[in-house]
Amino acid sequence: MLQNSCNIYTSKLCETKRLKKQDSMISRGENCVNITFCEDDNLEKLEQDLNELTGNSFSYFLKKRFSSTLISIVSVIVLMFALISASIYEDLFKKIIFELPFDWNVSDTVSLIFVIIFFFGMVMMPSLLDGEGNEFKNILSSWFNKDIKKLKRLKLAFSLFDKKTTINLYNFDLIDAEHWIYRLLTKTIVSRFYTVNMYIRNDQIQSVKKKLESFGVANIEVIKEKKSINACDIDFLLSSREQKLYSLMQLSSSTIIPNNDKRKFVSLELFEYCGRNFFEDTKDSSNQLISGFQNFINRSFDDFRFIAQEKSMQIYFTSNVKFKNLSDEQKRLAYYLRNHIEECISYFDNPISLLILYYYVRDIVLDEKRTIAILEKFIDAVHKKQQYELIDDYWFALAGQMFDPSSLEEFEKTNNSFYRRLSINALNKLIFLFERNGHFDQALLLAKYLYEINPNKYSVSICSLYERTGQFEKAYNSLPKELNIGANAKPSDIEVRYFQRKAWIVVSQRKEDLKEEGLEALKSLKSLIFSHNDDNEPLWLWHYYNIKANYAEWTEDYDGAIQNYNKCLSIPALGAFEYGATFVNMAIAYRFMYLTSNTQNFDNIDKSIKLGKLGVFLKESVGDRDEMPVVLHNQALNVLYKMVNSTLDEAACKEIVYITDDAISVLDRTKSIKRLGMLLIENCITKSLLKQNYEDVAQRLNTHFPLLDENESQQILKLYKEFIKTDKIDRLDFLDKII
């Protein structure tokens, strides 16, 4: 065996001279030969490529074959002479034993010559069969063993190259030791050439060393190159398993984010999570996969140069990556992730992982709370990992700009805004993150949005943000003259709810005899809520301002009522249920303002109808069956009071008939009578306006009327009288008797 040397290089697969799978396996450079192996390559391709490289070498091969054949022929002739001599030797030996003495003649001399040849043939036979020139034995062996025949052809081919030629072998670590690449090709190369360079993956060093040592290579040096990004396209070198992982890595990247002109970031968390769980053929081999996935990640960094990293937890694809069309795989993965959102949220710490998860599931998740949970974890991760620039890069494309919380007109447009659904904790972190990114205007709007939760805390935040933007006068004026420092601890929920219920029951029924008691309960509620320094619960504040607005309505202070309803709408982190109720109540306040005005201001009643419609929409969006009849009754009343002094709107009348019929059916199913009387009179009046039959509804109202409380009966009579005055409807005898 030659004392040759073998250098093992890592992180240099990109230096292969083969550019695609269809190219030749072998190429010649200056004083070197390059051989690159791909998974589907076979020996026939190698021989074909080798023949194309060597060109027309027929005379050389003829010479090689002639000399080897000549040696074989001589060996065979010698053996044949020896074998033929055996019979001659037998005759001569008999003659000497049994016929001695005898006459020696020419034939005896010839026989003796053949005997001598036989003797020397027998002596030479071991050398002919086992010596270095064992061509005869090889010929016999090649008839039965194809590997020997192939090995012989490879040796003949590589004998064309000088032994000092450097041989560069790429990607030979892709297969095991029993493969023909090692069994035939590598064995041939290391036995002939002085210098062999092998370019392999980092994690395959020990495996390749063992294979080389088995061929008797004693001088092996491992050379680890420093990382450097070179443009190259070597995905064709990947094995089928690596190709599968390569596709999964692309699926686990920000390529899923639409209109994303930023770097394509990779989530290794998502990559490993999906690798262990998403592929059916990997679920039962998790221990093996942990190593396999980590190896592929390392190879993608060092060997393939697919990914690189500049900042902590921000790993991105390099220009070496050629993105595949994986739309079908994306759909399958999206549905898988949708079913495991909670598990993913608990598992992922990288904000990029959560960002990618959100875009996978956002269009196929029915429960919005689950996507909000992803966004809240994303905000928390950005805050915790200090990846502030991700807010500037991705947040506004995802959630849009923060709205003006003081603008009622913007509510309808921002009803579905994420800012209305995020928790107080998440919004607080967003203020900080907006500030870190220089979005002071957005941080300021958020601070104003959260102001009611804790005026002391957020007035200081607002002041700080004004100061950061150089608006010193606004900064100073935003601070209260003095802090309202509470001396008490934050109250319990049961304390707050007790005074809420007491104050609400009185005002909702307009109990004059209990009015003072109700106001005292409201005062106690205020004292509880504002007697501490902690953040208030949004629902506590909403109930307080809603009840306060109702008391303002009771005293006909409709401007005060609307002002308090606006405070209800400015409270963050509430749902469509609370906001919907606020719009319904605000619509009632505008209706009362219209009815009590000396001049008929249609702007107020139009606003009432518009706000009432928004309230109905929000209530329907949460499937509220409890308060829906009351909501629908108030919207019907808003429209009907406009019709008293305007022309008949047939489409609006049909809408009222529809919603009041629906509300009555809901009350019947729930066995409730809350506002049933109002719904019945509204249904009667509207059907009368449309000249429809309403006798059954009128009869039911007549039967139900004695069961009504004073407040509801007075409202029914007031509405009836308004329409009777204008002579737009038929009279109801049982109501005429009461008037």
Side-chain angles (χ1 to χ4, degrees):
M1 183 67 69
L2 292 169
Q3 290 300 310
N4 51 14
S5 66
C6 187
N7 301 315
I8 298 178
Y9 288 90
T10 62
S11 304
K12 295 190 73 173
L13 282 175
C14 279
E15 294 187 4
T16 177
K17 301 303 181 286
R18 187 175 180 179
L19 301 180
K20 51 184 181 294
K21 188 173 286 190
Q22 294 77 14
D23 288 351
S24 173
M25 289 181 65
I26 185 167
S27 62
R28 175 179 273 170
E30 186 176 353
N31 299 321
C32 69
V33 172
N34 307 298
I35 305 175
T36 304
F37 173 72
C38 294
E39 191 175 51
D40 296 331
D41 290 342
N42 52 41
L43 183 57
E44 287 70 23
K45 176 176 173 57
L46 174 66
E47 290 184 316
Q48 180 182 345
D49 295 341
L50 191 56
N51 289 336
E52 290 178 0
L53 180 69
T54 56
N56 184 13
S57 55
F58 175 76
S59 61
Y60 181 82
F61 273 93
L62 182 62
K63 180 181 176 182
K64 290 288 292 182
R65 291 185 180 279
F66 177 76
S67 64
S68 61
T69 304
L70 179 62
I71 294 172
S72 300
I73 291 172
V74 171
S75 302
V76 170
I77 290 173
V78 170
L79 291 173
M80 287 177 64
F81 267 98
L83 293 172
I84 293 170
S85 299
S87 60
I88 298 172
Y89 163 77
E90 181 183 358
D91 293 339
L92 182 62
F93 187 73
K94 286 179 180 179
K95 198 171 185 180
I96 293 172
I97 297 295
F98 298 109
E99 298 181 15
L100 203 70
F102 61 87
D103 294 330
W104 191 269
N105 52 40
V106 176
S107 62
D108 294 328
T109 302
V110 173
S111 297
L112 181 61
I113 292 170
F114 272 97
V115 168
I116 294 170
I117 292 173
F118 173 70
F119 174 77
F120 282 107
M122 294 297 292
V123 171
M124 292 174 61
M125 187 171 289
S127 297
L128 289 170
L129 294 176
D130 296 322
E132 288 189 12
N134 58 350
E135 297 294 336
F136 180 70
K137 181 179 177 181
N138 285 343
I139 291 172
L140 293 176
S141 298
S142 65
W143 292 346
F144 304 101
N145 190 323
K146 291 184 178 180
D147 275 0
I148 293 176
K149 191 174 184 179
K150 293 174 181 177
L151 187 61
K152 184 177 179 180
R153 292 204 304 266
L154 288 176
K155 285 182 178 180
L156 288 172
F158 281 109
S159 66
L160 289 173
F161 302 101
D162 191 279
K163 293 181 179 182
K164 294 180 181 179
T165 302
T166 300
I167 307 296
N168 298 315
L169 306 178
Y170 296 90
N171 214 33
F172 275 37
D173 57 329
L174 201 62
I175 34 74
D176 57 40
E178 300 304 316
H179 195 275
W180 64 267
I181 278 288
Y182 281 105
R183 199 176 68 248
L184 302 176
L185 179 59
T186 309
K187 183 178 180 181
T188 300
I189 289 172
V190 299
S191 65
R192 173 168 177 79
F193 297 97
Y194 294 129
T195 304
V196 178
N197 298 324
M198 297 196 73
Y199 297 83
I200 63 170
R201 294 154 178 78
N202 276 271
D203 54 276
Q204 293 295 307
I205 293 173
Q206 295 303 319
S207 175
V208 171
K209 280 183 69 176
K210 288 181 181 178
K211 293 170 186 174
L212 292 174
E213 288 168 354
S214 69
F215 296 143
V217 181
N219 187 13
I220 301 174
E221 183 179 357
V222 177
I223 304 171
K224 294 185 178 182
E225 291 292 311
K226 292 183 179 179
K227 296 179 183 178
S228 61
I229 300 298
N230 299 323
C232 62
D233 180 10
I234 58 168
D235 60 336
F236 67 93
L237 295 182
L238 274 57
S239 66
S240 56
R241 176 174 173 74
E242 286 175 330
Q243 287 287 358
K244 194 173 186 180
L245 293 174
Y246 184 35
S247 297
L248 180 60
M249 185 171 277
Q250 290 189 37
L251 290 171
S252 304
S253 71
S254 60
T255 54
I256 187 68
I257 300 176
N259 305 319
N260 176 22
D261 57 354
K262 307 289 189 301
R263 277 177 168 170
K264 304 305 184 211
F265 291 109
V266 179
S267 165
L268 297 186
E269 289 175 328
L270 182 59
F271 173 67
E272 292 192 21
Y273 175 81
C274 293
R276 291 192 188 118
N277 301 282
F278 183 54
F279 291 137
E280 291 296 329
D281 59 343
T282 63
K283 291 182 179 178
D284 298 327
S285 54
S286 57
N287 292 332
Q288 180 183 353
L289 284 170
I290 293 172
S291 173
F293 282 104
Q294 190 57 54
N295 282 343
F296 183 77
I297 292 169
N298 294 338
R299 293 172 185 178
S300 296
F301 271 115
D302 301 326
D303 302 311
F304 309 142
R305 309 290 171 81
F306 289 156
I307 56 179
Q309 181 177 11
E310 288 180 0
K311 296 182 181 180
S312 174
M313 304 186 79
Q314 290 192 9
I315 296 165
Y316 59 91
F317 281 130
T318 67
S319 58
N320 290 343
V321 172
K322 302 298 183 285
F323 294 104
K324 306 175 184 179
N325 181 5
L326 301 172
S327 55
D328 291 339
E329 290 83 353
Q330 283 181 348
K331 289 177 183 176
R332 288 198 304 116
L333 182 55
Y335 281 100
Y336 177 81
L337 293 174
R338 182 193 66 177
N339 297 332
H340 297 82
I341 287 177
E342 289 72 22
E343 185 180 352
C344 290
I345 290 173
S346 64
Y347 180 74
F348 297 158
D349 285 322
N350 188 339
I352 291 172
S353 305
L354 295 152
L355 193 67
I356 296 169
L357 173 64
Y358 169 77
Y359 276 100
Y360 262 113
V361 304
R362 64 172 185 164
D363 296 326
I364 56 176
V365 172
L366 300 179
D367 184 1
E368 193 180 53
K369 291 180 180 177
R370 301 179 77 204
T371 53
I372 293 297
I374 299 173
L375 295 181
E376 290 186 349
K377 181 67 181 289
F378 168 73
I379 293 169
D380 182 65
V382 171
H383 185 271
K384 187 182 298 181
K385 304 298 181 183
Q386 299 184 342
Q387 304 288 331
Y388 302 139
E389 69 277 7
L390 293 179
I391 294 296
D392 193 53
D393 289 342
Y394 295 102
W395 178 259
F396 296 108
L398 185 155
Q401 299 286 315
M402 175 61 191
F403 54 83
D404 182 359
S406 63
S407 173
L408 179 64
E409 287 70 24
E410 282 196 18
F411 191 98
E412 189 170 3
K413 290 184 282 186
T414 62
N415 174 46
N416 294 320
S417 171
F418 286 131
Y419 298 103
R420 294 195 182 277
R421 288 160 170 73
L422 294 169
S423 67
I424 302 296
N425 187 41
L427 293 173
N428 275 320
K429 289 174 182 173
L430 264 184
I431 292 177
F432 174 80
L433 295 173
F434 285 164
E435 199 173 345
R436 293 282 74 78
N437 280 275
H439 293 289
F440 299 114
D441 57 334
Q442 297 294 294
L444 191 61
L445 288 171
L446 264 181
K448 290 179 178 179
Y449 183 49
L450 297 171
Y451 178 83
E452 293 295 339
I453 301 296
N454 192 330
N456 290 341
K457 173 181 174 181
Y458 291 103
S459 62
V460 174
S461 297
I462 291 168
C463 171
S464 175
L465 288 165
Y466 275 132
E467 186 272 332
R468 293 289 299 276
T469 57
Q471 301 180 70
F472 300 106
E473 187 174 344
K474 284 186 176 182
Y476 184 79
N477 292 334
S478 63
L479 289 173
K481 297 298 180 184
E482 58 183 24
L483 284 177
N484 180 24
I485 300 176
N488 301 328
K490 188 174 180 179
S492 66
D493 188 60
I494 191 64
E495 291 177 277
V496 173
R497 290 183 63 197
Y498 170 79
F499 290 108
Q500 280 177 0
R501 290 295 90 197
K502 190 171 184 179
W504 172 248
I505 289 172
V506 173
V507 73
S508 64
Q509 296 300 308
R510 301 297 193 264
K511 296 284 187 181
E512 285 289 346
D513 55 329
L514 296 175
K515 187 174 185 179
E516 289 303 319
E517 195 172 336
L519 287 169
E520 282 298 319
L522 183 62
K523 186 178 179 181
S524 298
L525 179 60
K526 179 181 179 181
S527 177
L528 275 177
I529 291 175
F530 299 106
S531 65
H532 62 92
N533 295 322
D534 295 328
D535 289 357
N536 267 309
E537 300 297 326
L539 206 54
W540 292 357
L541 292 170
W542 181 83
H543 277 296
Y544 170 71
Y545 287 119
N546 182 58
I547 295 169
K548 191 176 178 182
N550 271 268
Y551 275 99
E553 278 182 19
W554 197 356
T555 58
E556 298 185 358
D557 179 12
Y558 302 117
D559 287 326
I562 291 169
Q563 184 180 355
N564 281 289
Y565 286 134
N566 275 321
K567 282 185 174 291
C568 288
L569 292 176
S570 69
I571 297 167
L574 296 174
F577 181 90
E578 290 79 17
Y579 291 131
T582 301
F583 279 111
V584 170
N585 291 337
M586 190 180 284
I588 294 171
Y590 275 106
R591 185 178 76 225
F592 282 137
M593 193 179 285
Y594 166 78
L595 293 174
T596 56
S597 176
N598 293 327
T599 57
Q600 295 295 329
N601 187 346
F602 280 101
D603 287 342
N604 286 334
I605 195 64
D606 286 340
K607 201 161 192 178
S608 172
I609 294 170
K610 179 182 178 181
L611 294 174
K613 187 177 291 186
L614 181 54
V616 170
F617 169 76
L618 290 172
K619 284 286 192 177
E620 286 178 338
S621 70
V622 293
D624 178 16
R625 307 304 291 169
D626 173 37
E627 293 189 1
M628 210 56 212
V630 177
V631 171
L632 294 174
H633 132 66
N634 275 293
Q635 183 61 7
L637 204 55
N638 296 336
V639 178
L640 284 173
Y641 269 120
K642 181 180 180 180
M643 286 188 187
V644 171
N645 298 305
S646 63
T647 56
L648 177 68
D649 185 339
E650 189 172 336
C653 285
K654 289 179 179 179
E655 179 67 18
I656 293 172
V657 170
Y658 175 78
I659 65 175
T660 52
D661 280 341
D662 182 48
I664 292 167
S665 67
V666 171
L667 290 177
D668 290 342
R669 286 198 302 272
T670 59
K671 296 181 170 48
S672 173
I673 60 171
K674 189 175 182 179
R675 290 292 184 262
L676 177 59
M678 286 303 301
L679 286 165
L680 290 171
I681 189 62
E682 289 158 2
N683 193 272
C684 285
I685 290 172
T686 311
K687 285 181 176 177
S688 180
L689 289 171
L690 291 171
K691 306 303 181 184
Q692 294 180 0
N693 187 340
Y694 60 93
E695 287 184 8
D696 55 335
V697 183
Q699 181 58 44
R700 185 172 180 183
L701 176 60
N702 186 17
T703 305
H704 182 66
F705 198 83
L707 304 175
L708 300 176
D709 61 33
E710 185 179 352
N711 180 46
E712 188 172 357
S713 62
Q714 289 301 316
Q715 287 187 51
I716 290 173
L717 293 174
K718 182 180 178 181
L719 180 63
Y720 175 69
K721 281 192 272 187
E722 290 291 333
F723 276 94
I724 289 298
K725 275 193 241 176
T726 58
D727 198 26
K728 289 186 175 182
I729 62 169
D730 300 328
R731 288 182 172 273
L732 296 173
D733 293 339
F734 66 93
L735 291 181
D736 288 337
K737 292 176 183 178
I738 302 171
I739 296 174

